[in-house]
Amino acid sequence: MNIRILKESDAHIYQELRLNALKMNPEAFGSTYEREVEFSLEMVMERIKPTKDKYIVGPFDHSGSLVGMVAFIRENDLKNRHKGNVFGMYIAPGSRGQGLGKALMKELISRAKNCDGLEQIKLTVVSDNDHAKNLYKSLGFEIYGTERNALKDQGLYFDEDLMVLSF
């Protein structure tokens, strides 16, 4: 498995996986398939363009297919630059159960630790997603709160646990 930072030339395969994620697990994301299917390739290219404070890490299988993704975005306000955020963690169904999520998160954490002055990484996870919460806990993340009714999809509410990893 090859895990690397995505670049603009990966926009098409990223968008394909992202749209599948939004269809397969709509409760896990703040965005929607209906919103993002309208994104132009140029918008997607700009979205995934890596910088030192923002990047998307993705694993590629032996055939070269993108089979997962997770995004890191550092806060940019002067008083918040010590914090980073994890967004959009997803592993394609056919690649789950192989430790890929853990490897992907370890890569993100390793890169984030190289950000000068970064002290913590935060993420949110749907409260009843025990599999994801256990993964994050195994990497040292701790729950520090719960947002009730954080997401609403098709009339259903989903709570989210707030988690943090301090360096």
Side-chain angles (χ1 to χ4, degrees):
M1 198 64 60
N2 175 31
I3 298 176
R4 66 170 172 81
I5 291 180
L6 302 185
K7 50 190 185 263
E8 294 96 323
S9 60
D10 297 314
H12 180 72
I13 57 174
Y14 164 81
Q15 185 65 348
E16 186 177 304
L17 184 66
R18 174 78 177 167
L19 291 173
N20 284 337
L22 293 169
K23 274 197 261 185
M24 296 281 299
N25 298 103
E27 76 288 348
F29 299 95
S31 189
T32 65
Y33 174 87
E34 293 75 17
R35 175 179 176 259
E36 293 196 20
V37 74
E38 300 296 327
F39 288 2
S40 69
L41 190 58
E42 292 75 24
M43 288 174 67
V44 176
M45 289 172 72
E46 186 59 33
R47 177 185 222 183
I48 70 170
K49 182 179 179 179
T51 69
K52 66 182 180 69
D53 292 333
K54 175 191 76 112
Y55 49 83
I56 298 172
V57 182
F60 292 80
D61 67 13
H62 300 295
S63 69
S65 296
L66 181 64
V67 294
M69 62 189 155
V70 64
F72 171 81
I73 301 175
R74 185 178 188 166
E75 298 280 342
N76 60 13
D77 294 334
L78 184 61
K79 292 183 178 182
N80 289 306
R81 288 203 43 83
H82 65 288
K83 298 184 281 189
N85 296 285
V86 175
F87 295 105
M89 173 65 166
Y90 180 75
I91 302 296
S95 297
R96 294 177 185 169
Q98 304 170 27
L100 192 52
K102 191 167 199 165
L104 190 57
M105 284 298 296
K106 281 183 173 182
E107 181 69 19
L108 180 140
I109 291 165
S110 174
R111 290 178 180 276
K113 284 182 175 180
N114 290 323
C115 290
D116 188 41
L118 192 73
E119 299 173 13
Q120 63 182 11
I121 302 174
K122 302 181 307 174
L123 59 81
T124 62
V125 59
V126 173
S127 297
D128 65 3
N129 189 343
D130 292 329
H131 185 73
K133 288 194 310 190
N134 289 337
L135 166 66
Y136 300 138
K137 286 177 184 178
S138 77
L139 294 165
F141 283 85
E142 298 176 347
I143 296 173
Y144 67 92
T146 300
E147 182 181 354
R148 303 283 178 225
N149 298 334
L151 298 174
K152 184 177 179 181
D153 184 41
Q154 299 180 17
L156 298 174
Y157 290 98
F158 299 90
D159 296 346
E160 285 187 328
D161 288 339
L162 315 171
M163 300 185 80
V164 66
L165 172 66
S166 298
F167 306 144

